[in-house]
Amino acid sequence: MTKLSGREIAERAPDGWVFLLGGLQTRLRTGDFATGLALVTAIGAAAEAMDHHPDLDLRYGHVDVRTWSHDVGAVTVRDLRLARTISDLAEEAGVAADRTGIARLEMGLDTPAAAGIIGFWAAVLGTEHRDHDRADEVRDPAGLVPAIWFQRSGSEEPRQRWHPDLWVDPAEVQPRIDAALAAGGTLVSDAEAPSFWVLADPEGNRVCLCTWQDRD
């Protein structure tokens, strides 16, 4: 299976699905637990038949779904097929697939010497060390602990070492920026937009809003 680009995924994904940090996601607004449980059972049966299995997070009023092809480490056509099947099952159950408000969090650690600290963070978090093209990274195979990636930086003090990277739907970037500015924050840089925007709170702590755009 071939890895799909962010643009290909955005153009071909069913309504209500969004591509975030290597996976295709949606939120099924069930409204109650029983409906969600029945839908999870139906999705499980379909996934078994397709031999392709999503991550499912059942809550009282919704079910979060995330799928990617583990053997490729990315979204492929198998995930698009599974997403369409899940959307069909949700529609039959009278449930809406909604991408509003869905996000993925990872943490960036700015350091001039990543090699000396990666092992520590992998050990203390119980995660795996992976070496990617972008940066060295530690990641939880179960996806429960946010990934940490190590960004090369200078050693000048003072400096902010940690910053959150929040991956969101491109449609949500501007509303979130507007809300952050209204809450007293500042837009530090949009030089890398639409890949990411850097914002800071009133004390200068930074956060990046990230999307799939301009990354292929």
Side-chain angles (χ1 to χ4, degrees), residues 131-174:
D131 192 0
H132 291 269
D133 293 337
R134 181 187 65 175
D136 285 323
E137 182 180 67
V138 295
R139 184 178 293 273
D140 176 11
L144 300 178
V145 176
I148 297 177
W149 68 282
F150 299 84
Q151 176 172 270
R152 184 171 181 81
S153 70
S155 57
E156 299 80 11
E157 299 289 353
R159 59 190 177 92
Q160 178 178 321
R161 289 171 169 80
W162 286 102
H163 71 270
D165 285 342
L166 190 68
W167 293 77
V168 299
D169 184 349
E172 293 201 10
V173 171
Q174 195 58 52

Side-chain angles (χ1 to χ4, degrees), residues 16 95 145 203:
V95 171
V145 176
E203 291 189 345

Side-chain angles (χ1 to χ4, degrees), residues 1-4 9 12 22 24 52 67-82 84:
M1 286 291 175
T2 303
K3 171 184 175 180
L4 298 176
I9 296 166
R12 297 168 61 181
L24 188 58
H52 192 46
T67 179
W68 76 99
S69 296
H70 296 74
D71 56 340
V72 178
V75 173
T76 69
V77 293
R78 286 179 296 185
D79 301 290
L80 294 176
R81 286 197 295 265
L82 180 59
R84 284 191 286 269

Side-chain angles (χ1 to χ4, degrees), residues 162-202:
W162 286 102
H163 71 270
D165 285 342
L166 190 68
W167 293 77
V168 299
D169 184 349
E172 293 201 10
V173 171
Q174 195 58 52
R176 292 193 184 221
I177 290 176
D178 293 343
L181 299 183
T186 57
L187 177 61
V188 176
S189 175
D190 60 1
E192 301 297 329
S195 181
F196 66 90
W197 293 252
V198 183
L199 295 97
D201 70 13

Side-chain angles (χ1 to χ4, degrees), residues 10-82:
E11 291 174 348
R12 297 168 61 181
D15 290 343
W17 291 77
V18 61
F19 176 53
L20 295 177
L21 195 57
L24 188 58
Q25 293 185 223
T26 192
R27 177 163 290 169
L28 305 176
R29 304 282 184 179
T30 57
D32 60 75
F33 191 83
T35 300
L37 182 59
L39 189 52
V40 164
T41 300
I43 292 171
E48 279 292 295
M50 298 174 72
D51 194 25
H52 192 46
H53 307 93
D55 290 339
L56 302 173
D57 184 2
L58 172 61
R59 303 298 177 101
Y60 177 80
H62 67 265
V63 177
D64 282 346
V65 185
R66 179 174 169 87
T67 179
W68 76 99
S69 296
H70 296 74
D71 56 340
V72 178
V75 173
T76 69
V77 293
R78 286 179 296 185
D79 301 290
L80 294 176
R81 286 197 295 265
L82 180 59

